[in-house]
Short mmCIF file of all heavy atoms in Angstrom, two decimals:
data_model
loop_
_atom_site.label_atom_id
_atom_site.label_comp_id
_atom_site.label_asym_id
_atom_site.label_seq_id
_atom_site.Cartn_x
_atom_site.Cartn_y
_atom_site.Cartn_z
N GLU A 1 0.82 -1.20 0.00
CA GLU A 1 0.00 0.00 0.00
C GLU A 1 0.86 1.26 0.00
O GLU A 1 1.94 1.28 0.59
CB GLU A 1 -0.91 -0.02 1.23
CG GLU A 1 -1.90 1.12 1.30
CD GLU A 1 -2.81 1.01 2.51
OE1 GLU A 1 -2.93 -0.11 3.06
OE2 GLU A 1 -3.40 2.02 2.91
N ARG A 2 0.39 2.28 -0.67
CA ARG A 2 1.09 3.55 -0.65
C ARG A 2 1.09 4.13 0.76
O ARG A 2 0.08 4.10 1.45
CB ARG A 2 0.42 4.54 -1.62
CG ARG A 2 1.12 5.90 -1.69
CD ARG A 2 0.43 6.80 -2.70
NE ARG A 2 -0.96 7.01 -2.37
CZ ARG A 2 -1.80 7.76 -3.08
NH1 ARG A 2 -1.38 8.37 -4.20
NH2 ARG A 2 -3.07 7.88 -2.71
N GLU A 3 2.22 4.66 1.17
CA GLU A 3 2.34 5.22 2.50
C GLU A 3 2.96 6.60 2.45
O GLU A 3 3.84 6.88 1.64
CB GLU A 3 3.18 4.31 3.40
CG GLU A 3 4.62 4.15 2.95
CD GLU A 3 5.48 3.42 3.96
OE1 GLU A 3 5.01 3.16 5.08
OE2 GLU A 3 6.64 3.09 3.61
N GLY A 4 2.48 7.46 3.32
CA GLY A 4 3.11 8.75 3.48
C GLY A 4 4.43 8.61 4.19
O GLY A 4 4.58 7.80 5.11
N VAL A 5 5.40 9.39 3.79
CA VAL A 5 6.74 9.35 4.36
C VAL A 5 7.02 10.60 5.18
O VAL A 5 7.51 10.53 6.30
CB VAL A 5 7.80 9.18 3.26
CG1 VAL A 5 9.20 9.31 3.83
CG2 VAL A 5 7.62 7.84 2.56
N SER A 6 6.72 11.75 4.60
CA SER A 6 7.07 13.00 5.24
C SER A 6 6.20 14.12 4.70
O SER A 6 5.73 14.06 3.57
CB SER A 6 8.55 13.32 4.99
OG SER A 6 8.92 14.55 5.58
N CYS A 7 6.00 15.14 5.49
CA CYS A 7 5.31 16.33 5.01
C CYS A 7 5.91 17.57 5.67
O CYS A 7 6.48 17.51 6.75
CB CYS A 7 3.80 16.26 5.26
SG CYS A 7 3.27 16.23 6.99
N LEU A 8 5.74 18.68 4.97
CA LEU A 8 6.22 19.97 5.42
C LEU A 8 5.07 20.95 5.31
O LEU A 8 4.45 21.08 4.25
CB LEU A 8 7.41 20.43 4.57
CG LEU A 8 7.99 21.82 4.83
CD1 LEU A 8 8.59 21.89 6.23
CD2 LEU A 8 9.05 22.15 3.78
N SER A 9 4.78 21.64 6.40
CA SER A 9 3.63 22.52 6.43
C SER A 9 3.86 23.79 5.62
O SER A 9 4.99 24.14 5.27
CB SER A 9 3.30 22.90 7.88
OG SER A 9 4.29 23.77 8.39
N ILE A 10 2.76 24.46 5.32
CA ILE A 10 2.86 25.78 4.73
C ILE A 10 3.66 26.67 5.67
O ILE A 10 3.61 26.50 6.90
CB ILE A 10 1.45 26.35 4.46
CG1 ILE A 10 1.53 27.63 3.63
CG2 ILE A 10 0.70 26.59 5.76
CD1 ILE A 10 0.18 28.12 3.15
N ASN A 11 4.41 27.57 5.11
CA ASN A 11 5.27 28.48 5.86
C ASN A 11 6.45 27.77 6.53
O ASN A 11 7.16 28.38 7.32
CB ASN A 11 4.46 29.24 6.92
CG ASN A 11 5.06 30.59 7.26
OD1 ASN A 11 5.62 31.27 6.39
ND2 ASN A 11 4.95 30.98 8.51
N ASP A 12 6.65 26.49 6.23
CA ASP A 12 7.76 25.70 6.76
C ASP A 12 7.79 25.69 8.28
O ASP A 12 8.85 25.62 8.90
CB ASP A 12 9.10 26.22 6.22
CG ASP A 12 9.29 25.97 4.75
OD1 ASP A 12 8.42 25.32 4.13
OD2 ASP A 12 10.31 26.43 4.19
N ASP A 13 6.61 25.73 8.90
CA ASP A 13 6.52 25.74 10.35
C ASP A 13 6.81 24.39 10.99
O ASP A 13 7.32 24.32 12.10
CB ASP A 13 5.12 26.19 10.79
CG ASP A 13 4.88 27.67 10.62
OD1 ASP A 13 5.86 28.43 10.50
OD2 ASP A 13 3.70 28.06 10.62
N TYR A 14 6.48 23.32 10.30
CA TYR A 14 6.46 22.00 10.91
C TYR A 14 6.81 20.94 9.88
O TYR A 14 6.35 21.00 8.74
CB TYR A 14 5.07 21.73 11.49
CG TYR A 14 4.84 20.34 12.01
CD1 TYR A 14 5.28 19.97 13.28
CD2 TYR A 14 4.16 19.39 11.25
CE1 TYR A 14 5.06 18.69 13.77
CE2 TYR A 14 3.93 18.11 11.72
CZ TYR A 14 4.38 17.77 12.99
OH TYR A 14 4.15 16.50 13.47
N THR A 15 7.61 20.00 10.29
CA THR A 15 7.97 18.86 9.44
C THR A 15 7.65 17.58 10.18
O THR A 15 7.95 17.43 11.36
CB THR A 15 9.47 18.88 9.08
OG1 THR A 15 9.84 20.17 8.60
CG2 THR A 15 9.76 17.85 8.00
N TYR A 16 7.05 16.66 9.48
CA TYR A 16 6.71 15.36 10.05
C TYR A 16 7.37 14.25 9.25
O TYR A 16 7.38 14.27 8.02
CB TYR A 16 5.20 15.15 10.07
CG TYR A 16 4.81 13.76 10.53
CD1 TYR A 16 4.80 13.43 11.88
CD2 TYR A 16 4.47 12.77 9.61
CE1 TYR A 16 4.47 12.16 12.30
CE2 TYR A 16 4.14 11.49 10.03
CZ TYR A 16 4.14 11.20 11.38
OH TYR A 16 3.81 9.94 11.80
N TYR A 17 7.90 13.26 9.98
CA TYR A 17 8.47 12.07 9.37
C TYR A 17 7.89 10.84 10.04
O TYR A 17 7.71 10.82 11.26
CB TYR A 17 9.99 12.03 9.52
CG TYR A 17 10.71 13.22 8.94
CD1 TYR A 17 11.01 14.32 9.73
CD2 TYR A 17 11.09 13.24 7.61
CE1 TYR A 17 11.68 15.41 9.20
CE2 TYR A 17 11.76 14.32 7.07
CZ TYR A 17 12.05 15.41 7.88
OH TYR A 17 12.73 16.49 7.35
N THR A 18 7.65 9.81 9.28
CA THR A 18 7.25 8.55 9.88
C THR A 18 8.43 7.96 10.65
O THR A 18 9.60 8.27 10.37
CB THR A 18 6.75 7.56 8.83
OG1 THR A 18 7.78 7.35 7.85
CG2 THR A 18 5.50 8.08 8.14
N ASP A 19 8.12 7.10 11.61
CA ASP A 19 9.16 6.57 12.48
C ASP A 19 10.23 5.81 11.72
O ASP A 19 11.40 5.82 12.12
CB ASP A 19 8.55 5.67 13.54
CG ASP A 19 7.75 6.43 14.58
OD1 ASP A 19 7.96 7.65 14.72
OD2 ASP A 19 6.93 5.79 15.27
N ASN A 20 9.86 5.16 10.64
CA ASN A 20 10.83 4.34 9.94
C ASN A 20 11.77 5.13 9.04
O ASN A 20 12.71 4.55 8.48
CB ASN A 20 10.14 3.23 9.13
CG ASN A 20 9.11 3.74 8.15
OD1 ASN A 20 8.84 4.94 8.08
ND2 ASN A 20 8.52 2.82 7.39
N VAL A 21 11.55 6.43 8.90
CA VAL A 21 12.48 7.25 8.12
C VAL A 21 13.07 8.40 8.92
O VAL A 21 14.05 9.01 8.48
CB VAL A 21 11.83 7.81 6.83
CG1 VAL A 21 11.19 6.68 6.02
CG2 VAL A 21 10.81 8.89 7.15
N LYS A 22 12.50 8.69 10.06
CA LYS A 22 12.97 9.81 10.86
C LYS A 22 14.44 9.63 11.22
O LYS A 22 14.86 8.57 11.66
CB LYS A 22 12.12 9.96 12.12
CG LYS A 22 12.39 11.24 12.89
CD LYS A 22 11.39 11.42 14.02
CE LYS A 22 11.56 12.75 14.71
NZ LYS A 22 10.56 12.95 15.78
N GLY A 23 15.20 10.69 11.04
CA GLY A 23 16.63 10.63 11.28
C GLY A 23 17.44 10.25 10.07
O GLY A 23 18.67 10.42 10.07
N ARG A 24 16.79 9.73 9.04
CA ARG A 24 17.47 9.34 7.81
C ARG A 24 17.05 10.18 6.61
O ARG A 24 17.84 10.38 5.70
CB ARG A 24 17.21 7.86 7.51
CG ARG A 24 17.70 6.91 8.58
CD ARG A 24 17.60 5.45 8.13
NE ARG A 24 16.22 5.06 7.84
CZ ARG A 24 15.80 4.65 6.65
NH1 ARG A 24 16.65 4.54 5.64
NH2 ARG A 24 14.53 4.30 6.47
N PHE A 25 15.81 10.65 6.60
CA PHE A 25 15.29 11.44 5.49
C PHE A 25 15.09 12.88 5.94
O PHE A 25 14.74 13.14 7.10
CB PHE A 25 13.95 10.89 5.00
CG PHE A 25 14.01 9.54 4.34
CD1 PHE A 25 15.17 8.79 4.31
CD2 PHE A 25 12.86 9.02 3.75
CE1 PHE A 25 15.21 7.55 3.70
CE2 PHE A 25 12.89 7.78 3.14
CZ PHE A 25 14.06 7.04 3.11
N THR A 26 15.26 13.81 5.02
CA THR A 26 15.05 15.22 5.30
C THR A 26 14.26 15.86 4.17
O THR A 26 14.66 15.76 3.01
CB THR A 26 16.38 15.97 5.47
OG1 THR A 26 17.14 15.38 6.53
CG2 THR A 26 16.11 17.43 5.81
N LEU A 27 13.16 16.50 4.52
CA LEU A 27 12.30 17.19 3.55
C LEU A 27 12.51 18.69 3.67
O LEU A 27 12.51 19.23 4.78
CB LEU A 27 10.84 16.83 3.80
CG LEU A 27 9.77 17.59 3.00
CD1 LEU A 27 9.96 17.37 1.51
CD2 LEU A 27 8.38 17.15 3.44
N SER A 28 12.66 19.35 2.54
CA SER A 28 12.84 20.79 2.53
C SER A 28 12.21 21.39 1.29
O SER A 28 11.82 20.69 0.36
CB SER A 28 14.33 21.16 2.60
OG SER A 28 15.03 20.68 1.47
N ARG A 29 12.11 22.70 1.30
CA ARG A 29 11.51 23.42 0.19
C ARG A 29 12.43 24.56 -0.23
O ARG A 29 13.02 25.23 0.61
CB ARG A 29 10.13 23.96 0.61
CG ARG A 29 9.44 24.79 -0.43
CD ARG A 29 8.02 25.19 -0.06
NE ARG A 29 7.60 24.93 1.28
CZ ARG A 29 6.39 24.49 1.62
NH1 ARG A 29 5.48 24.27 0.68
NH2 ARG A 29 6.08 24.28 2.89
N ASP A 30 12.57 24.75 -1.52
CA ASP A 30 13.34 25.85 -2.06
C ASP A 30 12.36 26.85 -2.67
O ASP A 30 11.77 26.58 -3.72
CB ASP A 30 14.34 25.36 -3.11
CG ASP A 30 15.33 26.43 -3.55
OD1 ASP A 30 14.91 27.58 -3.77
OD2 ASP A 30 16.53 26.12 -3.68
N LYS A 31 12.18 27.96 -2.03
CA LYS A 31 11.20 28.94 -2.48
C LYS A 31 11.57 29.56 -3.82
O LYS A 31 10.70 29.83 -4.65
CB LYS A 31 11.03 30.04 -1.42
CG LYS A 31 10.53 29.55 -0.08
CD LYS A 31 10.43 30.69 0.91
CE LYS A 31 9.96 30.19 2.26
NZ LYS A 31 9.86 31.27 3.26
N VAL A 32 12.86 29.78 -4.02
CA VAL A 32 13.32 30.43 -5.25
C VAL A 32 13.12 29.52 -6.45
O VAL A 32 12.65 29.94 -7.51
CB VAL A 32 14.79 30.86 -5.14
CG1 VAL A 32 15.28 31.42 -6.46
CG2 VAL A 32 14.94 31.89 -4.03
N LYS A 33 13.50 28.26 -6.30
CA LYS A 33 13.38 27.30 -7.40
C LYS A 33 11.98 26.71 -7.53
O LYS A 33 11.71 26.02 -8.51
CB LYS A 33 14.40 26.18 -7.21
CG LYS A 33 15.85 26.63 -7.27
CD LYS A 33 16.79 25.44 -7.09
CE LYS A 33 18.24 25.87 -7.16
NZ LYS A 33 19.16 24.73 -6.96
N ASN A 34 11.12 26.96 -6.55
CA ASN A 34 9.78 26.39 -6.54
C ASN A 34 9.85 24.86 -6.60
O ASN A 34 9.18 24.22 -7.40
CB ASN A 34 8.93 26.94 -7.69
CG ASN A 34 7.44 26.74 -7.47
OD1 ASN A 34 6.94 26.84 -6.35
ND2 ASN A 34 6.72 26.44 -8.55
N THR A 35 10.69 24.31 -5.74
CA THR A 35 10.87 22.87 -5.68
C THR A 35 10.79 22.38 -4.24
O THR A 35 10.89 23.16 -3.29
CB THR A 35 12.23 22.44 -6.27
OG1 THR A 35 13.29 23.04 -5.50
CG2 THR A 35 12.36 22.87 -7.72
N MET A 36 10.62 21.10 -4.09
CA MET A 36 10.75 20.44 -2.81
C MET A 36 11.74 19.30 -2.97
O MET A 36 11.84 18.69 -4.04
CB MET A 36 9.41 19.91 -2.30
CG MET A 36 8.81 18.79 -3.15
SD MET A 36 7.23 18.19 -2.51
CE MET A 36 6.11 19.28 -3.41
N THR A 37 12.46 19.00 -1.91
CA THR A 37 13.52 18.02 -1.97
C THR A 37 13.40 17.04 -0.81
O THR A 37 13.08 17.43 0.30
CB THR A 37 14.90 18.70 -1.91
OG1 THR A 37 15.06 19.54 -3.05
CG2 THR A 37 16.03 17.67 -1.90
N LEU A 38 13.64 15.79 -1.10
CA LEU A 38 13.72 14.77 -0.07
C LEU A 38 15.11 14.15 -0.13
O LEU A 38 15.47 13.53 -1.14
CB LEU A 38 12.65 13.69 -0.26
CG LEU A 38 12.59 12.62 0.84
CD1 LEU A 38 12.09 13.23 2.15
CD2 LEU A 38 11.71 11.45 0.42
N GLN A 39 15.88 14.33 0.92
CA GLN A 39 17.19 13.72 1.03
C GLN A 39 17.06 12.40 1.78
O GLN A 39 16.50 12.37 2.88
CB GLN A 39 18.16 14.65 1.76
CG GLN A 39 18.43 15.95 1.03
CD GLN A 39 19.32 16.89 1.82
OE1 GLN A 39 18.93 17.39 2.87
NE2 GLN A 39 20.53 17.11 1.32
N LEU A 40 17.56 11.35 1.18
CA LEU A 40 17.47 10.02 1.74
C LEU A 40 18.87 9.53 2.06
O LEU A 40 19.72 9.47 1.18
CB LEU A 40 16.79 9.04 0.78
CG LEU A 40 15.39 9.38 0.26
CD1 LEU A 40 15.47 10.31 -0.95
CD2 LEU A 40 14.66 8.10 -0.14
N HIS A 41 19.10 9.15 3.30
CA HIS A 41 20.40 8.67 3.74
C HIS A 41 20.27 7.30 4.38
O HIS A 41 19.22 6.93 4.88
CB HIS A 41 21.03 9.65 4.72
CG HIS A 41 21.28 11.01 4.17
ND1 HIS A 41 22.25 11.25 3.21
CD2 HIS A 41 20.70 12.20 4.43
CE1 HIS A 41 22.25 12.54 2.90
NE2 HIS A 41 21.31 13.13 3.63
N ASN A 42 21.39 6.59 4.38
CA ASN A 42 21.47 5.27 5.00
C ASN A 42 20.33 4.37 4.51
O ASN A 42 19.62 3.75 5.30
CB ASN A 42 21.44 5.39 6.52
CG ASN A 42 21.87 4.11 7.21
OD1 ASN A 42 22.58 3.29 6.63
ND2 ASN A 42 21.42 3.93 8.45
N LEU A 43 20.19 4.31 3.21
CA LEU A 43 19.08 3.57 2.62
C LEU A 43 19.21 2.07 2.85
O LEU A 43 20.32 1.52 2.84
CB LEU A 43 19.00 3.87 1.13
CG LEU A 43 18.45 5.26 0.79
CD1 LEU A 43 18.79 5.63 -0.64
CD2 LEU A 43 16.95 5.29 1.02
N ALA A 44 18.08 1.46 3.04
CA ALA A 44 17.98 0.02 3.26
C ALA A 44 17.06 -0.58 2.20
O ALA A 44 16.27 0.13 1.57
CB ALA A 44 17.44 -0.27 4.66
N PRO A 45 17.14 -1.89 1.99
CA PRO A 45 16.28 -2.51 0.98
C PRO A 45 14.80 -2.21 1.17
O PRO A 45 14.06 -2.09 0.17
CB PRO A 45 16.58 -4.00 1.15
CG PRO A 45 17.99 -4.04 1.62
CD PRO A 45 18.11 -2.85 2.54
N GLU A 46 14.35 -2.09 2.39
CA GLU A 46 12.94 -1.80 2.63
C GLU A 46 12.53 -0.39 2.21
O GLU A 46 11.33 -0.08 2.20
CB GLU A 46 12.58 -2.02 4.11
CG GLU A 46 13.47 -1.25 5.07
CD GLU A 46 14.60 -2.09 5.62
OE1 GLU A 46 15.15 -2.91 4.87
OE2 GLU A 46 14.94 -1.92 6.81
#
């Protein structure tokens, strides 16, 4: 099933990560480029 991993609130006030990715993934937004980025570290097969 599709699962949510992370979200970032409007105004960048709050970031949420699921327990299985917290500490390994980072979500951010670039206002100038109008993009969002997810950095994934220490990746595992799952």
Side-chain angles (χ1 to χ4, degrees):
E1 184 178 340
R2 182 179 59 180
E3 64 172 352
V5 173
S6 179
C7 65
L8 176 64
S9 71
I10 189 171
N11 207 35
D12 291 356
D13 286 341
Y14 173 81
T15 311
Y16 174 79
Y17 303 93
T18 57
D19 289 341
N20 56 357
V21 307
K22 190 172 185 178
R24 300 188 299 119
F25 293 7
T26 302
L27 173 60
S28 62
R29 177 174 10 219
D30 189 317
K31 299 178 181 179
V32 175
K33 296 180 179 179
N34 198 37
T35 61
M36 66 180 91
T37 297
L38 184 69
Q39 297 176 293
L40 304 84
H41 299 290
N42 195 24
L43 286 163
E46 54 263 37

